[in-house]
Amino acid sequence: MSLQSRHLFTLSMTLHPAMDLGHTPAGGRRIFAVSGGNFEGERISGTVSPLIGSDLLLSRADGTFQQDVRLLLVADDGGLIIMTYRGVRRASQAIERLARGELVDASEYYLRTTPYFETAAPAHAWLNSIVSVASGGRTASGVEYEVFEIL
């Protein structure tokens, strides 16, 4: 059996500079607060709230990075949607350039996430019961993802 998917939306986020917590018991921890953004797709579009959103990025002992993200999406019709996701980024050759904040082509590293949604907005309630995956990459001011609904 193969998985089928359809494009849900393109998500672009801008980020504040990282806050480095240093090496915690879990690993190296940096926090990236979200300063805004937008998402656009055929079935849903809107903005990323600058008030609620962060990535608690964890540098793991195996050299990969684990994302733990919470966002508030505001649909064009005003509907509020919580988007949460965990993901993994690995970049053996480009790791130092990414750490310095340099632009690195997304083909040079692996960034995949598993977004889930929560909303009380009737027009968007269908999001509560889907599974999605995303692939992404860094941009000059943040991050961009292509998000797909798994059918």
Side-chain angles (χ1 to χ4, degrees), residues 9 14 16 19 30-31 46 49 63-64 66 71 76-77 81 83-86 91 94 96-97 109 116 120 130 137:
F9 54 73
T14 53
H16 290 288
M19 293 178 275
R30 289 184 292 168
I31 299 173
S49 173
T64 62
Q66 179 178 302
L71 303 172
D76 286 341
D77 64 4
I81 304 156
M83 178 179 176
T84 62
Y85 60 87
R86 292 185 64 129
E96 293 84 16
R97 293 177 10 230
Y109 58 94
Y116 288 89
I130 68 167

Side-chain angles (χ1 to χ4, degrees), residues 55-69:
D55 179 359
L56 304 176
L57 188 66
L58 181 66
S59 174
R60 300 186 326 195
D62 64 359
T64 62
F65 292 85
Q66 179 178 302
Q67 297 172 286
D68 185 359
V69 178

